[in-house]
Amino acid sequence: MKLSQMFENAPEIEIAGLCIDSRCAKANDMYFCMEGMVHDGHEFIDDVIEKGVKCIVHSKPVDDMKKGVAYIQVENVNRTLNRVASMFYGHPSRRMKVFGVTGTNGKSTITSIIRDVYSHFAPCGYIGTISISYGEVTLPPSLTTPDAVLIHKTMKDMVEHGMQAVALEVSSHGLELGRVQSVDFDVAVFSNLTYDHLDFHGTIEHYFEAKKKLFTNLKKEGVAVLNADDAYVDQLADATEASVVTYGIDNHATYQAENIRIEKTGSRFTLVHGTERYEVSTNLVALYNIYNLLGAVAAMAESGIPIEQQLPYLNDIRQIEGRMERIDEGQLFNVIVDFAHTPDGMEKVFEYAKDITEDGHSIIAVFGSAGKRDTKKRRVFGEIASRYCDSIILTEDDPRDEDPREIANEIKSGISDTNNIFIADRYAAIRQAIESANVKDTVLILGKGDEVFMYREFGREPWMGDHNVARHCIRKYSLGLEDDEK
């Protein structure tokens, strides 16, 4: 695309790509000088010019301007990046139905349900924590909400692959850092807001203000789908000019679940919408997943997929690895892997474990807490686990440059009388839990879900994944099988 098509009075320079990371700059790119929390993109202008970049978009004065390079000074580089990225890739979000989902917990599950069910009616992609997926393409995730360049490039690729919709996880970081300013959302879903990311936002009020941006910026023609049982529902409803519908269990809602029956392998409930009542059967378990399912069903219904047409597909929703994932290798006890890494998320998993664990049998939990992240929740983790568990095994969980033992000691400060030990190596901790489980006990492996990496002092290192470790340990140590014997 010509630079003159993106900026008035700009020279007729052909731009081959957009770049915000100087390390990835290529010949004929346009480089945006983004100011981050650690680095300022203005510091790398000379570096990217040496790589052949033809245009620099900057907000600070540039003293040494090189010949043959266009310099465009703007007031807000990020806002300009969003506008240009959407234009450069052909405004792809305007060519698809775009579902945006935000909230502390449930984003991955709601977006995954939407992608799974909506795809029975029209091709639908997914962008989020788990992966970037569309059609037969599955790519590793970048961030929960990628930067504006990657979002629009990915959506362009999706359009070219025939996608008619996309379900996008929208994190508070992504909203606060302006990564989705130019995404044309049609439906915005709010799951819940609880204690998380205060290391970044500072206060729960600032955290909420970040989440609210998705609804403040939602177009009038859009639909806001809000959790009626969350304390922030009224504030979000007041903040948007879009149409508002709600979903919930306890409070009156546009889409409401009644007569809920939760079992080990699935759930059933009555969905009430207006004067209609629908009997829902799903393979999802746990009360919080009823909320997630309601949010997804409401979002799709509001986008034109009638509830009665969705019903046949709700009983066979694809298992989301690492999200309330039941690991069943034929063992005589329950093993569940979940991404829960917030106090509210952990408590919901513990509540479900209590429901499925018979009296006289034990709940064994394996978890830690991420290094260089919100330290205040560590003691809270201990307090919550202590209320539900019979045995706690503390271990590493993305320690970065912190000592996992010190993190565990902070968690231990909240544990009262529950038996607990610290095992630094996460594989060994999971093995200990599996080997100590008796018939009808429940083992919970929390914090990392399906992630196959571990953040350590010098970056990401490969990790088997909790779900894979659990399967391996059950086969080898509980069933006495080699991995290929099952």
Side-chain angles (χ1 to χ4, degrees), residues 17-168:
L18 309 180
C19 175
I20 63 173
D21 185 339
S22 62
R23 295 167 297 182
C24 302
K26 300 187 296 294
N28 301 316
D29 275 358
M30 181 190 302
Y31 175 66
F32 293 82
C33 300
M34 301 288 287
E35 294 183 62
M37 291 182 286
V38 178
H39 299 293
D40 183 346
H42 294 83
E43 299 171 0
F44 306 102
I45 291 176
D46 290 343
D47 295 341
V48 299
I49 290 175
E50 287 183 6
K51 295 180 178 181
V53 164
K54 292 300 182 185
C55 178
I56 305 293
V57 179
H58 59 103
S59 58
K60 297 178 180 178
V62 177
D63 297 327
D64 184 18
M65 293 188 177
K66 303 291 193 297
K67 289 184 179 180
V69 178
Y71 293 84
I72 299 177
Q73 186 167 7
V74 298
E75 181 179 346
N76 187 308
V77 174
N78 188 52
R79 188 182 305 125
T80 303
L81 170 66
N82 273 269
R83 178 184 67 81
V84 170
S86 180
M87 181 186 299
F88 186 83
Y89 291 110
H91 302 295
S93 64
R94 300 179 188 176
R95 299 159 67 187
M96 293 188 291
K97 179 79 68 176
V98 181
F99 298 90
V101 181
T102 197
T104 304
N105 300 306
K107 295 185 295 296
S108 297
T109 301
I110 294 173
T111 48
S112 295
I113 293 171
I114 291 173
R115 192 226 170 171
D116 193 25
V117 176
Y118 198 95
S119 292
H120 290 286
F121 304 94
C124 182
Y126 161 82
I127 301 174
T129 308
I130 300 169
S131 66
I132 293 173
S133 304
Y134 51 96
E136 299 301 317
V137 177
T138 299
L139 303 172
S142 170
L143 301 166
T144 300
T145 309
D147 64 71
V149 175
L150 183 55
I151 284 179
H152 289 286
K153 182 183 184 305
T154 300
M155 288 186 175
K156 174 180 178 289
D157 293 341
M158 288 183 174
V159 170
E160 292 177 347
H161 278 76
M163 296 300 107
Q164 297 177 27
V166 60
L168 171 63

Side-chain angles (χ1 to χ4, degrees), residues 111-122 124 293 296-297 300 305 309-311 313-318:
T111 48
S112 295
I113 293 171
I114 291 173
R115 192 226 170 171
D116 193 25
V117 176
Y118 198 95
S119 292
H120 290 286
F121 304 94
C124 182
L293 184 60
V297 168
M300 290 184 285
I305 309 296
Q309 293 184 26
Q310 297 182 45
L311 292 177
Y313 305 108
L314 303 184
N315 203 30
D316 190 27
I317 294 170
R318 187 181 309 169

Side-chain angles (χ1 to χ4, degrees), residues 16 30 34 57 62 153 160 188 194 207 233-234 236 239 253 259 355 444 466 472:
M30 181 190 302
M34 301 288 287
V57 179
V62 177
K153 182 183 184 305
E160 292 177 347
T194 62
Y207 180 36
V233 60
D234 291 336
L236 290 175
N259 305 320
D355 287 341
L444 303 174
D466 289 356
H472 174 75

